[in-house]
Amino acid sequence: AQRVTQPEKLLSVFKGAPVELKCNYSYSGSPELFWYVQYSRQRLQLLLRHISRESIKGFTADLNKGETSFHLKKPFAQEEDSAMYYCALFMNRDDKIIFGKGTRLHILP
Amino acid sequence: DAGVTQSPTHLIKTRGQHVTLRCSPISGHKSVSWYQQVLGQGPQFIFQYYEKEERGRGNFPDRFSARQFPNYSSELNVNALLLGDSALYLCASSRLLADRYQPQHFGDGTRLSIL
């Protein structure tokens, strides 16, 4: 069955430390992966997509088809990174998108 | 630009009733998609419309329906409400069909509570 798994509900990291938010997916077709972020009292917004291979706000994510993962990484956490992060999978063959349950990132001062 | 606007912001209904939620996309955006977000979960895809045609449907019962108007605004209708329909309903818009599953612009949502 298709699914997106974000194993951590809450991740606490000290400011300046590296951050890695895990995302694993299950899909037999060709996946398109995304990360969305929701800051406190703000709307859900697209952070980055794997096809763009871009770095946004210092975050990067690499699609690893062998490990079926799309982990979100940042070398040095900042307090403004505290937010809810969702990993999402677009299933090309089924024309649907599914989201993970989300990970709340808390940056400690 | 006001962004994606949704109305109402909050709604309380009882079981068995029906509800209509509304969404106005960003000006120039022709694609609208709807999501249900239950507390503690990620958004779950319900419908996607582009140029007034349904282009995608999630795993929701027929009690859920939607439509898109000539001005690209959209309505989500839910009939025979159940307690489990209590959730935040999000609308998102995109300019291009190719971006329909990469919605970049979400509304604040409508919080629906079923008593």
Side-chain angles (χ1 to χ4, degrees), chain A residues 9 12 21-22 27 30-31 34 56 83 85 88-89 92 101 109:
Chain A
K9 288 185 72 172
S12 296
L21 297 167
K22 291 184 167 51
Y27 182 53
S30 180
F34 310 90
I56 304 293
Y85 292 81
L89 162 70
N92 222 319
K101 293 184 178 182

Side-chain angles (χ1 to χ4, degrees), chain B residues 9 24 31 36 55 57 60 66 79-80 98 112:
Chain B
T9 54
S24 293
S31 172
Q36 181 195 64
R55 296 299 185 116
R57 173 186 283 255
F60 280 80
N79 293 323
L112 176 63

